[in-house]
């Protein structure tokens, strides 16, 4: 039965239609927020997938370009691989919802969101987040919801709930918060050095709004919700755990995991697993469960050690950071490089500079985001964790980690006017044992400064973890978690920022939410750690950006011209600009507002190209001095190219301060000469002089009336001679043009 529900959300109407479309899905919500329309569905398989020890959840966010009235580019003319924004949106939906499904649930579940219409005032990403939660809540899929999501902006010190596209452009904060009834379950943020307390207030402002949305979802579920289906539990039998503890006592398991060397710990666990497989070789029911049982045994051991004994697997204090190191200039030929090491986590980052024309072009739903000038890419090869598998390009994890580091660094980058370059940094994971994304922030900062990019200040990142007990007050926050603490803990709270404030947050949890005291302590711990990293590890290596670029980096000079004269610089079919490029070897980019960027490795050629462009767009006036090339010779004078498509004539009498019998006695085609503009006549023809005495003489002395006064010949005769000379010049030019 079709039903429609509506609520006012941040001054716009949110409408959820149930039973109108997609009736065969387990749950479907046809979402309308303003004119934004998203279809969100939730479906599940009838039976669990065999042979897996994880919950197989897939979240899709499909951007249909018809939603913004666009036809996809390329030959196929249909949507293909998900964009980076679509991938990141899918991750933001996945992260808060995954912990709310039963831990022993192994049925395949797919949450699909199809963006069908986009209103710039109403975020399709937020609409899809809410749609996924509603579709799952009203379905028969087991889910401990509801949950809700809210976006928060910050403009002139005021929080803006679910900001519009225009507001996002001027906002100092882009925050997304997901909540259950009692707690915060996900935080994603990009910020322009927002202070910690302001960030905390923004998080809980969103949490308040989420409670209103949850009440709305409760009303929908009450009328349309299906009874949750039963499922086949994949939990490990208690009898198996008891049998394992008899073979491997808790003290032995503690000794196996209590080491700061990842490889040694993994070898200890491998040996324990082999012993258990031998012991249960005859038990066909338990044998396939050994691996998962050992994993859970490790988890319980590590959590007990941390929570009850305040002991970490590598022996560190609760607030202690692993050994740190920073280096620069590791790669001699790249434009900038930096390496950051934290324990067994190591990132080598390379920075590349290029003209703005090399910026990434975006073909997505946001009309305001068509290019991306700064690109941060993150790679995670299998050798970094001691494994072997072929590289198949970046997955969702790599894209997410790269985007997080990129978001952290964007606020400190110089503007295009200050630094007219496209910038790419690539983080190569050399070793991984927790928080490689935060090490990427540190390594990227090092490589940017080493490359001479004038960033405003340093940025560093760190991650805090969490282990909780039976009550909300029974918990421990861990500074700088390693891989084991991430796997077996309850939270991965990543914060990047400067001395002034936060630039990025990403929080993932495995439990049903965090209280305010936990969030406040995690943010405080992250601030203390990142200040220590910047002041004591990064600053001694490089404290500010280098003043000059690498000799291997392109040099870019920027000038501004009258937009009306862009056509003169480009020329018919690009002939003028291509000639400049061919002669100088530079690369030239011109924007519609008249900004001209000239890029090359030879500064002399850059200066030459700039001078040529300036000559083209500058109106020729008497008295100006040019250096040009002789392009034509006639019996009465030589034609000199002052700029492409802009020639002037030096009459034979103006070639030298001595009498010249033949033009070729002084100049030949191809010669570079210095000339001065005598006049631009009423027909636009440019008359030049090369005589040394004319180069410094008063301009008025060179004009035709002055010459007539100096002449001993009758004025009338001089006029006749001048007229005949002009006629000959005009006939000659016409003949030359015809030829």
């Amino acid at each position: 039965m079709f039903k429609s529900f509506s609520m006012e959300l941040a001054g716009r109407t949110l409408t959820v239609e149930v039973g109108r479309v997609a009736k065969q899905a387990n749950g479907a919500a046809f979402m309308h927020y303003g004119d934004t329309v998203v279809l969100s569905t939730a479906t599940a398989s009838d039976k669990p997938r065999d042979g897996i020890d994880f919950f197989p959840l897939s979240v899709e966010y499909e951007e249909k370009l018809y939603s913004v009235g666009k036809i996809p580019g390329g030959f196929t003319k249909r949507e293909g691989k998900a964009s980076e924004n679509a991938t990141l949106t899918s991750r933001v939906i996945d992260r808060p919802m995954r912990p709310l499904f039963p831990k022993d649930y192994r049925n395949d579940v797919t949450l699909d969101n199809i963006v069908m219409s986009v209103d710039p005032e109403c975020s399709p990403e937020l609409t899809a987040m809410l749609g996924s939660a509603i579709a799952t809540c009203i379905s028969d899929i087991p889910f401990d919801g509801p949950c809700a999501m809210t976006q928060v902006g910050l403009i002139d010190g005021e929080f803006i709930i679910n900001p519009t596209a225009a507001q996002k452009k001027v906002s100092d904060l882009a925050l997304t918060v997901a909540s259950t009834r009692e707690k915060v379950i996900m935080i994603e943020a990009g910020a322009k050095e927002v202070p910690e307390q302001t960030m905390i207030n923004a998080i809980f402002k969103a949490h308040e709004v989420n409670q209103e949305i949850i009440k709305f979802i409760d009303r929908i579920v009450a009328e349309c919700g299906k009874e949750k289906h039963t499922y086949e539990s994949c939990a490990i039998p208690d009898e198996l755990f008891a049998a394992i503890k008899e073979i491997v006592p808790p003290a032995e398991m503690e000794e196996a995991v209590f080491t700061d060397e990842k490889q040694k710990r993994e070898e200890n666990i491998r040996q324990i697993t082999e012993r258990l497989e031998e012991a249960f070789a005859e038990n066909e029911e338990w044998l396939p469960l050994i691996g998962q049982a050992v994993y859970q045994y490790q988890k319980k051991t590590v959590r007990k050690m941390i929570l009850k004994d305040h002991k970490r697997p590598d022996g560190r204090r609760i607030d202690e950071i692993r050994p740190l190191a920073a280096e620069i200039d590791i790669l001699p030929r790249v434009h900038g490089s930096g390496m950051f090491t934290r324990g067994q986590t190591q990132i080598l980052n390379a920075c590349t500079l290029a003209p703005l024309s090399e910026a990434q072009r975006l073909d997505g739903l946001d009309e305001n985001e068509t290019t991306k000038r700064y690109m941060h890419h993150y790679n995670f090869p299998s050798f970094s964790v001691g494994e072997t598998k072929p590289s198949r390009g970046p997955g969702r994890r790599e894209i997410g980690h790269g985007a997080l580091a990129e978001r952290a660094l964007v606020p400190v980058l110089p503007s295009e006017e200050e630094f007219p370059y496209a910038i790419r940094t690539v983080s190569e994971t050399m070793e991984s044992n927790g928080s490689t994304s935060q090490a990427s922030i540190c390594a990227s900062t090092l490589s940017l400064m080493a490359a001479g990019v004038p960033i405003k200040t340093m940025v560093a990142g760190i991650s805090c973890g969490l282990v909780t007990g039976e009550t909300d007050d029974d918990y421990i926050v861990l500074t700088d978690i390693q891989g084991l603490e991430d796997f077996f803990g309850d939270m991965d709270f990543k914060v990047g920022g400067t001395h002034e404030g936060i630039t990025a947050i990403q929080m993932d949890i495995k439990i049903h939410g965090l209280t305010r005291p936990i969030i406040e302590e995690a943010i405080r711990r992250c601030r203390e750690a990142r200040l220590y990293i910047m002041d004591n590890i990064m600053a001694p290596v490089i404290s500010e950006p280098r003043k000059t670029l690498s000799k291997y980096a392109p040099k870019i000079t920027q000038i501004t011209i009258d937009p009306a004269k862009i056509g003169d610089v480009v020329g018919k079919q690009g002939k003028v600009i291509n000639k400049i490029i061919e002669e100088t070897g530079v690369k030239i980019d011109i924007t519609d507002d008249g900004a001209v960027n000239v890029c090359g490795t030879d500064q002399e050629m850059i200066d030459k190209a700039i001078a040529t462009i300036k000559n083209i767009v500058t109106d020729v006036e008497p008295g100006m001095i040019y250096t040009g090339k002789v392009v034509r010779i006639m019996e009465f004078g030589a034609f000199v190219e002052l700029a492409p498509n802009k020639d002037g004539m030096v009459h034979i009498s103006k070639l030298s301060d001595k009498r010249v019998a033949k033009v070729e006695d002084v100049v030949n085609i191809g010669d570079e000469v210095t000339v001065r503009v005598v006049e631009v006549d009423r027909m636009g023809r440019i008359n030049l002089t090369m005589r040394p005495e004319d180069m410094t003489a008063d301009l008025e002395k060179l004009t035709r009336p002055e010459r007539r006064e100096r002449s001993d010949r009758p004025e009338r005769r001089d006029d006749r001679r001048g007229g005949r000379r002009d006629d000959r010049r005009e006939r000659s030019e016409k003949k030359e043009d015809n030829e």
Side-chain angles (χ1 to χ4, degrees), residues 184-405:
V184 173
I185 55 175
M186 192 278 298
I187 302 170
E188 182 90 9
K192 298 177 181 178
E193 298 184 89
V194 170
E196 276 73 7
Q197 190 56 53
T198 302
M199 182 66 77
I200 291 169
N201 293 341
I203 291 169
F204 286 94
K205 177 66 174 178
H207 182 63
E208 292 176 9
V209 177
N210 283 337
Q211 301 314 303
E212 297 303 314
I213 300 173
I214 288 173
K215 292 177 183 177
F216 175 61
I217 298 175
D218 283 338
R219 182 158 60 92
I220 300 173
V221 173
E223 294 192 37
C224 303
K226 300 177 183 177
E227 183 180 351
K228 300 301 182 182
H229 65 232
T230 58
Y231 63 93
E232 182 181 334
S233 174
C234 294
I236 303 298
D238 292 337
E239 296 84 359
L240 176 56
F241 274 123
I244 289 175
K245 288 183 179 180
E246 290 183 4
I247 299 171
V248 183
E252 183 178 346
M253 181 58 78
E254 285 188 20
E255 185 178 349
V257 300
F258 199 87
T259 175
D260 60 350
E261 290 187 27
K262 180 181 175 182
Q263 289 78 6
K264 183 177 179 181
R265 181 173 59 250
E266 290 177 347
E267 175 61 22
N268 293 340
I269 298 303
R270 187 188 64 79
Q271 292 179 8
I272 287 174
T273 303
E274 287 183 354
R275 283 169 52 197
L276 293 172
E277 288 174 343
E278 291 177 4
F280 302 121
E282 303 300 325
N283 192 325
E284 296 182 359
E285 181 182 349
W286 285 0
L287 191 59
L289 304 177
I290 295 298
Q292 181 66 10
V294 171
Y295 174 86
Q296 293 190 17
Y297 193 6
Q298 288 184 79
K299 182 174 182 177
K300 291 180 179 180
T301 302
V302 170
R303 293 175 64 85
K304 181 260 181 184
M305 290 165 57
I306 293 173
L307 191 61
K308 304 302 180 184
D309 305 332
H310 289 197
K311 292 170 60 177
R312 300 178 72 170
D314 56 4
R316 281 183 292 148
R317 299 187 310 274
I318 297 302
D319 60 352
E320 185 179 352
I321 306 173
R322 287 171 288 174
L324 301 167
E327 301 175 67
I328 58 172
D329 301 333
I330 305 294
L331 306 174
R333 286 274 179 158
V334 304
H335 301 160
S337 62
M339 188 162 73
F340 185 80
T341 306
R342 188 193 316 110
Q344 288 184 301
T345 291
Q346 187 178 63
I347 297 291
L348 175 58
N349 185 277
C351 177
T352 305
L353 306 177
L356 288 171
S357 59
E358 297 294 321
Q360 182 180 1
R361 296 179 183 178
L362 305 176
D363 187 19
L365 305 185
D366 191 342
E367 298 293 337
N368 296 318
E369 296 290 336
T370 57
T371 61
K372 186 163 68 169
R373 172 206 180 197
Y374 174 60
M375 299 150 278
H376 183 282
H377 295 148
Y378 167 97
N379 296 318
F380 189 78
S382 58
F383 65 75
S384 65
V385 287
E387 297 177 356
T388 175
K389 66 177 180 179
S391 176
R392 293 288 184 264
R396 289 190 172 189
R397 177 183 182 276
E398 286 82 356
I399 292 172
H401 279 24
L404 175 59

Side-chain angles (χ1 to χ4, degrees), residues 63-111:
E63 297 176 318
K64 302 298 184 181
L65 289 185
Y66 59 69
S67 66
V68 290
K70 293 167 65 174
I71 295 176
F75 291 101
T76 59
K77 295 298 179 183
R78 68 180 298 162
E79 291 83 2
K81 181 181 177 182
S83 69
E84 183 173 297
N85 179 68
T87 298
L88 298 175
T89 303
S90 297
R91 283 171 55 85
V92 170
I93 296 171
D94 182 302
R95 284 165 29 217
M97 294 188 64
R98 185 178 291 270
L100 301 181
F101 289 92
K103 295 184 182 299
D104 58 344
Y105 192 52
R106 297 293 180 266
N107 296 45
D108 285 278
V109 173
T110 298
L111 307 181

Side-chain angles (χ1 to χ4, degrees), residues 448-480:
L448 286 166
M449 291 196 294
V453 179
I455 61 174
K456 299 171 186 176
T457 184
M458 281 193 287
V459 185
I462 195 70
S463 178
C464 279
L466 175 73
V467 176
T468 58
E470 299 298 325
T471 66
D472 288 346
D473 296 329
D474 187 14
Y475 67 88
I476 285 185
V477 175
L478 305 172
T479 299
D480 179 26

Side-chain angles (χ1 to χ4, degrees), residues 85-141:
N85 179 68
T87 298
L88 298 175
T89 303
S90 297
R91 283 171 55 85
V92 170
I93 296 171
D94 182 302
R95 284 165 29 217
M97 294 188 64
R98 185 178 291 270
L100 301 181
F101 289 92
K103 295 184 182 299
D104 58 344
Y105 192 52
R106 297 293 180 266
N107 296 45
D108 285 278
V109 173
T110 298
L111 307 181
D112 201 359
N113 300 275
I114 303 175
V115 181
M116 310 186 82
S117 176
V118 174
D119 177 352
E121 305 301 305
C122 302
S123 164
E125 294 86 357
L126 175 69
T127 308
M129 294 174 201
L130 295 174
S132 287
I134 293 170
T136 308
C137 286
I138 64 176
S139 75
D140 61 345
I141 302 170

Side-chain angles (χ1 to χ4, degrees), residues 478-523:
L478 305 172
T479 299
D480 179 26
I481 55 172
Q482 59 174 311
L484 190 71
E485 294 165 334
D486 185 6
F487 299 151
F488 298 151
D490 297 322
M491 176 183 76
D492 186 5
F493 201 118
K494 309 182 185 85
V495 181
T498 66
H499 285 85
E500 297 300 319
I502 294 170
T503 58
I505 292 181
Q506 187 177 94
M507 186 199 79
D508 300 322
I509 62 171
K510 301 171 187 175
I511 55 177
H512 287 202
L514 303 180
T515 62
R516 183 164 185 147
I518 293 175
I519 292 174
E520 290 179 340
E521 182 173 352
I523 289 178

